[in-house]
Amino acid sequence: GAVVSQHPSWVICKSGTSVKIECRSLDFQATTMFWYRQFPKQSLMLMATSNEGSKATYEQGVEKDKFLINHASLTLSTLTVTSAHPEDSSFYICSARDLQRAYNEQFFGPGTRLTVL
Amino acid sequence: GNSVTQMEGPVTLSEEAFLTINCTYTATGYPSLFWYVQYPGEGLQLLLKATKADDKGSNKGFEATYRKETTSFHLEKGSVQVSDSAVYFCALSERSGNNNDMRFGAGTRLTVKP
């Protein structure tokens, strides 16, 4: 149980285009999902917290108009990188919390590698 | 605020060697502690966890004990294999509703040579 999927696993796009990444909790409900960004050989950087049915909360320095987050259901959150540029190339990872679990564990997706040409 | 400090890598070991990756934390309350592993090109997988002092988490031959007196959660394995080569992240989290209070260490890259 507690499986999180991401789609696509990798994407290559041209500069100026928008890319949507999906994060799904497959066998549990998650009112809260998180989006992280990871640069090569570095730790995870929290970008935003996605709450089902409400606006996302962005970390300081993360442009909300650049990284659009939608959490329309208890099992799906999407991150859209708008007008992508080469500096947006990174590994994007989502995670989700299981409402039914007592402790504060996050379950991570496999990640999406974005390359902007 | 809460934070995690873990041993800087990279760490290179021969197969069957003993592994220790140090992790210490700073927290205001009583956090849960985690070790995550990231294999090349993949997301994070939970390796083990401990939710209270003196708990020992274990999985796949890895162990870590929640030491409140030394605020530590060191990862150990008695005999590493080539397949253990990955990046290991220590993390902590306190209960705080929907907020994300999870804090990750910088990660330690382990390479095991045959």
Side-chain angles (χ1 to χ4, degrees):
Chain A
V3 178
V4 176
S5 71
Q6 279 184 244
H7 178 79
S9 56
W10 60 269
V11 57
I12 302 173
C13 70
K14 292 182 178 180
S15 186
T17 60
S18 294
V19 175
K20 180 184 285 188
I21 303 170
E22 293 185 348
C23 177
R24 294 181 185 272
S25 55
L26 297 185
D27 51 2
F28 66 98
Q29 293 183 328
T31 56
T32 304
M33 292 183 173
F34 307 101
W35 287 96
Y36 295 85
R37 185 173 181 176
Q38 185 181 30
F39 291 103
K41 299 185 178 181
Q42 295 188 25
S43 190
L44 279 69
M45 180 191 80
L46 178 66
M47 298 175 66
T49 300
S50 170
N51 296 302
E52 187 265 339
S54 65
K55 291 183 178 180
T57 303
Y58 290 83
E59 296 299 300
Q60 193 171 9
V62 178
E63 299 176 58
K64 61 180 181 181
D65 296 329
K66 172 78 171 174
F67 299 99
L68 300 179
I69 292 173
N70 183 276
H71 194 156
S73 77
L74 287 173
T75 59
L76 172 64
S77 175
T78 60
L79 168 68
T80 301
V81 183
T82 61
S83 187
H85 288 93
E87 58 265 29
D88 298 323
S89 298
S90 189
F91 195 51
Y92 292 88
I93 302 176
C94 74
S95 71
R97 279 194 179 142
D98 185 341
L99 296 177
Q100 302 304 317
R101 294 185 187 245
Y103 51 85
N104 230 9
E105 181 179 349
Q106 294 182 24
F107 298 94
F108 288 82
T112 297
R113 185 164 302 284
L114 170 63
T115 302
V116 184
L117 302 177
Chain B
N2 295 349
S3 66
V4 175
T5 303
Q6 67 180 97
M7 187 172 91
E8 290 189 18
V11 174
T12 302
L13 296 174
S14 297
E15 206 164 22
E16 299 183 4
F18 184 84
L19 169 70
T20 299
I21 301 177
N22 290 339
C23 172
T24 57
Y25 68 90
T26 302
T28 54
Y30 302 94
S32 298
L33 301 175
F34 308 89
W35 276 101
Y36 286 91
V37 58
Q38 185 178 33
Y39 297 101
E42 299 183 13
L44 271 67
Q45 299 176 27
L46 179 66
L47 181 60
L48 53 84
K49 63 181 183 289
T51 58
K52 62 182 187 295
D54 299 326
D55 271 1
K56 176 186 283 188
S58 61
N59 185 28
K60 300 180 181 179
F62 291 90
E63 291 183 342
T65 301
Y66 190 142
R67 301 284 188 199
K68 193 171 186 297
E69 63 276 14
T70 54
T71 63
S72 65
F73 193 56
H74 304 322
L75 181 68
E76 296 182 337
K77 185 173 185 180
S79 177
V80 294
Q81 305 301 312
V82 173
S83 58
D84 294 327
S85 298
V87 180
Y88 293 82
F89 292 94
C90 184
L92 70 78
S93 178
E94 289 192 83
R95 289 193 64 81
S96 61
N98 284 337
N99 293 329
N100 187 344
D101 64 341
M102 181 160 276
R103 296 290 179 264
F104 289 92
T108 302
R109 182 176 299 276
L110 169 67
T111 301
V112 180
K113 296 187 174 181

